[in-house]
């Protein structure tokens, strides 16, 4: 019985240990860099580098805090799965990959965490092995591979610098920062790479609680934060982050209004909040971005666990039109759901109030293009609107199915622990670390306008009734564009198939494609089809070598 709780207890113990180290590093304001030299080729050094500072320890503490609750929740949620321990080990690998990424200070060590997140997230998304989960898994993997392309391109720029560590790094490496920032946008699901995030809902709910809170989607944002602490952002990069963040925030909020799937609405709310974080990075507020990232991780994990408890009671029904009257069947669960929902809206004196309102006040205070400001303002109204609509359906809606209450101490304790941190963490971190403090001076009417946005959204959510929309549900046709792109590219892929088998494979593998002509000229033109592949590769490398030597 207690064997299932071992991983959760281990992560909780590690969280307590990380809290003590975090307090020490905050108090002393220390930074340590551990660098392991591997080899040198001419003037280029290959090394593993790890960074230990208050930012990395705060992030790992939040990850351990959420992971321990999610693992405890999984003990009840996945207890009937015959591959329970395999699921837990993959989930643990997912958490460890994120820790590697947080502590990384060099490109080589960062790739261990970066690709570790990609591989384990793919395994977790396709875990149920249904058609939808397979489509979602490959959809996620292929979009994340776009970011990997930019990281591979950045290898050449690191060679020009003569090293592979990015902490510290030369302040003139702005092109390298642009490449890594674009790669980070794919991992953090920013427009136009946003379609994989709602598709990842095919994974089990504990996986969604980790993916959408403190691990996969925050990896890209954390990398941009780490880089912006070293190199000041260029004007072009800041404007790009402002525009893409505002579009993503508005797109996620608007799509959530036209959705009825409970988990997908929460996923789209994650997309909206990620857009707000990237928008804040575009304003140059690295500290507030990290602060809001921590607050969002806590209440979003809590929101997913509360939704998971609802799915347990309804035997997997996710349609909000069928889920009603939960306050009568599970009053404790709906209290937790309301707490996390009010955090999402930025209600006063909860954790997200201290970060989200500061972002909106700095937005009113700063000078930026009016388009981004209007999109974030409308997205704030949309956030309050779909959150109120979600709460109205679950709390005050009519019960259309029978709900069976699952009394489990592991579910209750995991949600109680996260709800406690979701309530007090904003004020506590604000008073603990003065790096998160910002001062802003705006007129009273602008402060009232920010609160007015939330009030308008709540009223619209209670009054307005909408129907499903394919255009907004697919995020302005982003999802079909990626999923069905293979049909458009089919003629090109077919030609590539023949090219690969003609040039890169040996004779035994292409006999079914073509026959070798006995004519000498045909042999000459089809020589890649019958010569040994290793010999062909050797000839090609020799030709390149001779050309380079004669250049």
């Amino acid at each position: 019985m207690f064997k299932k709780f071992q991983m959760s207890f281990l992560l909780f113990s590690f969280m307590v240990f990380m809290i003590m180290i975090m307090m020490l590093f905050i108090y002393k304001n220390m930074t340590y860099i551990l660098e392991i030299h591997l080899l040198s080729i001419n003037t280029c050094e290959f090394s593993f580098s790890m960074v230990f500072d208050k930012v990395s320890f705060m992030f790992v503490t939040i990850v351990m805090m959420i992971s321990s609750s999610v693992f405890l929740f999984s003990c009840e949620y996945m207890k009937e799965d015959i591959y329970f321990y395999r699921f837990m080990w993959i989930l643990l690998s997912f958490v460890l990959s994120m820790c590697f990424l947080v502590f990384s200070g060099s490109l080589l060590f960062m790739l261990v965490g970066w690709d570790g997140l990609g591989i384990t997230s793919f395994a977790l998304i396709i875990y149920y092995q249904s058609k939808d989960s397979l489509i979602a898994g490959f959809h996620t993997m292929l979009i994340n591979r776009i970011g990997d392309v930019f990281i591979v391109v950045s290898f050449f720029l690191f060679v020009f610098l003569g090293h592979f560590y990015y902490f510290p790094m030369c302040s003139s490496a702005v092109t390298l920062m642009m490449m890594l920032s674009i790669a980070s946008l794919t991992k953090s699901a920013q427009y136009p790479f946003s379609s994989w995030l709602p598709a990842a809902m095919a994974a089990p709910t504990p996986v969604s609680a980790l993916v959408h809170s403190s691990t996969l989607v925050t990896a890209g944002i954390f990398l941009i934060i780490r880089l912006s602490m070293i190199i000041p952002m260029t004007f072009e990069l800041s404007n790009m982050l402002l525009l893409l963040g505002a579009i993503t925030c508005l797109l996620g909020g608007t799509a959530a209004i036209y959705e009825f799937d409970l988990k997908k609405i929460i996923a789209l709310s994650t997309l909206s909040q990620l857009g707000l974080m990237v928008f804040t990075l575009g304003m140059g507020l690295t500290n507030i971005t990290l602060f809001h990232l921590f607050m969002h991780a806590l209440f979003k994990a809590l929101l997913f666990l509360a939704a998971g408890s609802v799915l347990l009671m309804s035997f997997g029904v996710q349609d909000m039109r069928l889920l009603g009257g939960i306050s009568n069947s599970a009053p404790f669960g709906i209290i937790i759901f309301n707490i996390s929902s009010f955090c999402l809206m930025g209600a006063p004196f909860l954790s997200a109030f201290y970060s989200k309102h500061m972002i909106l006040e700095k937005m009113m205070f700063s000078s930026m293009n009016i388009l981004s400001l209007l999109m974030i303002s409308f997205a704030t109204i949309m956030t309050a609107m779909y959150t109120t609509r979600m709460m109205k359906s679950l709390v005050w809606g009519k019960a259309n199915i029978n709900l069976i209450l699952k009394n489990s101490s592991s579910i209750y304790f995991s949600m109680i622990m996260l709800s406690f941190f979701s309530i007090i963490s904003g004020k506590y971190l604000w008073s603990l670390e003065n790096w998160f403090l910002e001062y802003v001076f705006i007129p009273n009417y602008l402060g009232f306008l920010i609160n007015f946005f939330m009030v308008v959204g709540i009223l619209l959510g209670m009054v307005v009734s909408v129907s499903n929309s394919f255009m907004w549900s697919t995020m302005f046709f982003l999802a079909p564009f990626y999923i069905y792109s293979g049909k458009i590219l089919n003629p090109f892929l077919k030609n590539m198939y023949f090219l690969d088998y003609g040039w890169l494979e040996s004779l035994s593998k292409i006999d079914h494609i073509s026959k070798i002509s006995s004519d000498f000229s045909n042999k000459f033109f089809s020589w890649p089809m019958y010569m040994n592949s290793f010999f062909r590769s050797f000839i090609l490398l020799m030709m390149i070598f001779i050309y380079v030597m004669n250049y």
Side-chain angles (χ1 to χ4, degrees):
M1 176 64 181
F2 294 102
K3 186 179 179 181
K4 292 184 177 181
F5 301 104
Q6 288 179 350
M7 289 187 182
S8 179
F9 179 75
L10 178 65
L11 291 171
F12 184 80
S13 304
F14 195 66
M15 179 199 74
V16 175
F17 179 66
M18 285 291 105
I19 288 176
M20 293 187 292
I21 298 180
M22 178 192 74
M23 298 292 289
L24 176 64
F25 272 74
I26 290 176
Y27 179 72
K28 297 287 188 180
N29 199 16
M30 299 184 298
T31 299
Y32 290 98
I33 299 177
L34 175 63
E35 186 171 350
I36 302 174
H37 182 73
L38 298 178
L39 73 154
S40 297
I41 300 178
N42 292 333
T43 59
C44 187
E45 297 182 356
F46 293 84
S47 61
F48 277 106
S49 180
M50 298 180 68
V51 180
F52 301 98
D53 61 350
K54 61 182 180 182
V55 173
S56 57
F57 280 112
M58 280 191 291
F59 203 109
V60 171
T61 302
I62 297 293
V63 171
M64 292 297 116
M65 190 182 299
I66 294 172
S67 301
S68 59
S69 300
V70 170
F71 273 75
L72 187 60
F73 183 85
S74 302
C75 294
E76 176 65 25
Y77 193 89
M78 304 293 292
K79 68 177 182 180
E80 297 179 1
D81 188 10
I82 59 175
Y83 301 111
F84 172 80
Y85 292 104
R86 183 178 71 177
F87 172 80
M88 298 295 276
W89 278 108
I90 297 175
L91 201 61
L92 183 62
S93 303
F94 186 66
V95 174
L96 292 178
S97 299
M98 187 64 199
C99 294
F100 288 152
L101 180 64
V102 170
F103 284 120
S104 64
S106 64
L107 183 67
L108 301 179
F109 194 68
M110 185 263 287
L111 283 176
V112 175
W114 186 274
D115 286 332
L117 285 173
I119 294 170
T120 53
S121 64
F122 175 74
L124 290 169
I125 291 171
I126 67 169
Y127 185 78
Y128 285 142
Q129 298 183 13
S130 63
K131 180 181 178 182
D132 292 337
S133 62
L134 288 174
I135 292 175
F138 281 100
H139 188 182
T140 302
M141 183 184 67
L142 290 176
I143 292 184
N144 286 332
R145 293 292 80 81
I146 298 175
D148 295 348
V149 170
F150 285 97
I151 290 182
V152 171
V153 172
S154 69
F155 265 84
F156 299 98
L157 301 176
F158 274 107
V159 170
F160 293 151
L161 291 177
H163 56 78
F164 280 87
Y165 52 82
Y166 57 83
F167 193 93
M169 190 166 59
C170 179
S171 60
S172 60
V174 291
T175 306
L176 179 59
M177 185 174 181
M178 178 68 76
M179 287 292 178
L180 294 177
S181 298
I182 296 175
S184 301
L185 294 181
T186 63
K187 201 69 122 181
S188 296
Q190 297 302 299
Y191 185 85
F193 312 111
S194 307
S195 58
W196 70 265
L197 190 60
M201 285 297 97
T205 303
V207 177
S208 303
L210 271 178
V211 166
H212 289 258
S213 59
S214 59
T215 49
L216 184 63
V217 295
T218 59
I221 292 179
F222 179 78
L223 183 58
I224 300 178
I225 290 173
R226 182 66 86 183
L227 291 173
S228 61
M229 293 171 63
I230 309 165
I231 305 174
M233 286 188 186
T234 61
F235 180 74
E236 292 78 11
L237 179 59
S238 298
N239 280 342
M240 183 186 75
L241 294 180
L242 278 174
L243 183 61
L244 294 182
I247 292 175
T248 307
C249 189
L250 182 62
L251 187 66
T254 310
I257 294 175
Y258 293 93
E259 193 58 54
F260 291 96
D261 190 312
L262 180 61
K263 284 183 64 177
K264 194 171 181 181
I265 290 175
I266 303 175
L268 291 169
S269 72
T270 303
L271 189 64
S272 180
Q273 295 301 308
L274 290 172
L276 183 63
M277 295 178 205
V278 173
F279 175 83
T280 312
L281 279 173
M283 289 195 294
L285 301 173
T286 305
N287 52 346
I288 303 299
T289 305
L290 188 66
F291 187 33
H292 188 61
L293 190 150
F294 291 159
M295 300 302 103
H296 171 263
L298 290 170
F299 72 74
K300 189 51 63 69
L302 178 64
L303 188 57
F304 267 108
L305 294 190
S309 66
V310 173
L311 298 185
L312 278 177
M313 292 187 292
S314 63
F315 297 98
V317 176
Q318 299 179 194
D319 196 327
M320 286 196 315
R321 290 167 292 190
L322 301 177
L323 297 173
I326 298 180
S327 56
N328 298 325
S329 303
F332 174 77
I334 210 63
I335 289 173
I336 300 297
F337 190 87
N338 289 340
I339 289 174
S340 54
S341 298
F342 281 122
C343 287
L344 177 60
M345 287 192 292
F349 311 117
L350 294 177
S351 59
F353 171 78
Y354 296 93
S355 58
K356 190 172 182 179
H357 273 248
M358 180 58 69
I359 293 172
L360 296 177
E361 288 174 1
K362 294 292 286 188
M363 177 188 73
M364 296 294 185
F365 182 70
S366 62
S367 58
M368 65 175 66
N369 60 81
I370 190 66
L371 180 62
S372 298
L373 190 146
L374 289 177
M375 284 193 288
I376 291 294
S377 301
F378 279 111
T380 305
I381 298 175
M382 299 300 178
T383 300
M385 182 177 175
Y386 67 72
T387 306
T388 305
R389 174 173 165 265
M390 185 169 56
M391 294 168 59
K392 183 180 71 171
S393 298
L394 295 182
V395 180
W396 302 310
K398 182 181 177 182
N400 294 313
I401 59 175
N402 293 326
L403 301 174
I404 299 178
L405 182 61
K406 300 283 186 177
N407 292 314
S408 174
S409 58
S410 61
I411 291 179
Y412 288 158
F413 186 76
S414 61
M415 292 195 295
I416 288 173
M417 184 171 68
L418 274 183
S419 61
F420 174 75
F421 289 117
S422 296
I423 294 172
I424 70 164
S425 57
K427 178 65 175 177
Y428 177 72
L429 273 180
W430 213 14
S431 59
L432 178 66
E433 175 53 51
N434 56 10
W435 185 54
F436 293 138
L437 294 176
E438 285 285 342
Y439 297 97
V440 60
F441 301 96
I442 59 174
N444 287 333
Y445 71 90
L446 290 180
F448 290 136
L449 184 62
I450 294 173
N451 296 322
F452 181 71
F453 289 156
M454 187 173 69
V455 174
V456 170
I458 292 174
L459 293 177
L460 289 176
M462 296 179 66
V463 174
V464 177
S465 178
V466 296
S467 59
N468 202 352
S469 171
F470 180 77
M471 181 182 73
W472 287 110
S473 181
T474 57
M475 289 181 296
F476 217 73
F477 307 110
L478 273 183
F481 175 77
Y482 281 104
I483 293 175
Y484 301 116
S485 59
K487 294 183 179 180
I488 302 175
L489 298 175
N490 184 56
F492 174 74
L493 297 175
K494 185 177 180 181
N495 293 330
M496 288 297 296
Y497 171 83
F498 284 105
L499 175 64
D500 289 344
Y501 275 90
W503 173 262
L504 302 176
E505 301 297 332
S506 59
L507 174 64
S508 60
K509 295 184 179 180
I510 60 167
D511 284 339
H512 65 284
I513 298 178
S514 61
K515 295 181 180 179
I516 301 175
S517 173
S518 59
D519 184 71
F520 177 78
S521 60
N522 289 339
K523 285 183 179 180
F524 177 77
F525 287 110
S526 62
W527 69 276
M529 296 185 180
Y530 72 96
M531 299 183 71
N532 185 273
S533 59
F534 293 104
F535 185 58
R536 293 200 305 269
S537 302
F538 175 74
I539 291 177
L540 184 62
L541 289 174
M542 287 299 297
M543 293 171 62
I544 295 174
F545 178 75
I546 293 172
Y547 174 78
V548 172
M549 293 299 293
N550 293 330
Y551 184 71

